[in-house]
Amino acid sequence: MTASTTLAFVASDRPEAQQARERLIARYGSVDVDQADVIVALGGDGFMLETLHADLSRRTPVYGMNRGSVGFLMNDYDEDDLPARIAEAGRAVIHPLQMDATTEAGQVHSGLAINEVSLLRQTRQSAKIRISIDGKVRLDELTCDGCMVATPAGSTAYNLSAHGPIIPLDARVLALTPISAFRPRRWRGALLPHEARVCFEVLEADKRPVSAVADGLEVRRVARVEVRERRDIDLVMLFDAGRSFEERVLAEQFTA
């Protein structure tokens, strides 16, 4: 990035984010998103994901500043020397997951997930799910509240809350993590090669309905969900020098 780098400022609906956007535009100017070299996203982690999704066709690098409640994917908010910070920022390239969910009625819904694809029970009854990897059944029946496949970028989000592993960004693996597994009770999930193709089959779907979620897309009453990494899609986040995504992941593992 250079001094001539064009910036587009976008913000979440939070008042503090909107106010910050107005001040930054007054100070640095702004162009339309489709003309920008870098998008500056003001909000929390959820808004960072929204921004990356909204720009999938152009895949413009996104530099986030925290004006939300959670900011693991965001840089600290500071209005000074912004062009210099962006010029010195490191790049973190992430690859989303492709979800292809088939409903009980036979409809197929597809979506991309930057953090994770999760299956969740819809009723008071636990879900029963068969899990296959690359066409081979690895778990004939998982009784649980749900299950997910998480990217390295998403490993510190819902995956971590479900006691899944934290994954370095360049590890080239995915996390397969159960949510409140009941049977087999001691199964804690698995680390998969990033090229693995995961298939979830919902058992007793009429009695135990399950929904599938890929970031903001939810598909209810699914019968089958296939998940794979889209290595052909590069999404770029920018992080301040000395505060790379890899450093954040490492530090998170030593946080009490």
Side-chain angles (χ1 to χ4, degrees):
M1 304 300 170
T2 67
S4 61
T5 297
T6 56
L7 305 178
F9 293 92
V10 296
S12 70
D13 293 334
R14 294 174 68 108
E16 57 267 44
Q18 291 291 325
Q19 293 162 10
R21 179 175 182 270
E22 292 176 4
R23 292 194 301 270
L24 289 165
I25 288 176
R27 184 167 180 176
Y28 296 108
S30 183
V31 300
D32 291 337
V33 168
D34 60 2
Q35 298 175 330
D37 296 317
V38 175
I39 298 172
V40 179
L42 304 166
D45 286 353
F47 187 68
M48 170 61 84
L49 297 181
E50 289 181 28
T51 303
L52 290 168
H53 274 286
D55 195 57
L56 277 171
S57 61
R58 295 189 70 245
R59 305 175 196 174
T60 306
V62 180
Y63 179 89
M65 286 201 290
N66 190 14
R67 292 283 85 186
S69 56
V70 180
F72 188 85
L73 301 178
M74 313 300 276
N75 297 288
D76 293 337
Y77 183 77
D78 189 340
E79 296 181 12
D80 294 331
D81 300 320
L82 184 58
R85 289 173 63 190
I86 292 175
E88 296 171 2
R91 295 164 59 93
V93 179
I94 59 178
H95 306 285
L97 299 173
Q98 171 86 31
M99 177 187 80
D100 297 305
T102 304
T103 67
E104 294 174 46
Q107 298 174 320
V108 179
H109 301 269
S110 299
L112 295 176
I114 295 167
N115 270 0
E116 74 277 320
V117 172
S118 55
L119 277 70
L120 305 165
R121 65 184 176 99
Q122 290 183 208
T123 68
R124 60 182 176 79
Q125 290 189 299
S126 58
K128 289 189 176 183
I129 300 170
R130 178 177 295 129
I131 302 175
S132 300
I133 311 296
D134 295 328
K136 181 176 182 178
V137 174
R138 292 292 182 178
L139 197 55
D140 193 62
E141 183 177 299
L142 172 65
T143 304
C144 57
D145 280 355
C147 195
M148 75 180 78
V149 179
T151 67
S155 67
T156 58
Y158 191 13
N159 173 72
L160 181 59
S161 297
H163 308 292
I166 296 176
I167 305 173
L169 200 62
D170 59 354
R172 300 172 74 87
V173 297
L174 303 173
L176 174 61
T177 303
I179 305 169
S180 301
F182 182 67
R183 289 285 188 275
R185 192 181 296 275
R186 296 186 182 279
W187 189 64
R188 294 292 181 262
L191 289 174
L192 307 176
H194 72 92
E195 69 270 19
R197 292 175 175 253
V198 184
C199 178
F200 300 102
E201 296 173 83
V202 179
L203 309 178
E204 302 178 25
D206 55 338
K207 179 182 178 183
R208 304 170 183 269
V210 170
S211 64
V213 181
D215 288 348
L217 172 66
E218 180 181 13
V219 182
R220 297 181 70 80
R221 300 197 72 93
V222 296
R224 179 186 179 94
V225 178
E226 297 179 353
V227 182
R228 60 187 174 88
E229 186 186 57
R230 289 291 302 272
R231 205 75 187 179
D232 59 317
I233 299 178
D234 296 338
L235 302 177
V236 179
M237 294 184 293
L238 302 177
F239 292 96
D240 285 332
R243 288 284 292 150
S244 68
F245 187 85
E246 289 81 359
E247 168 60 27
R248 294 167 191 232
V249 167
L250 184 61
E252 186 72 20
Q253 296 176 80
F254 293 89
T255 300

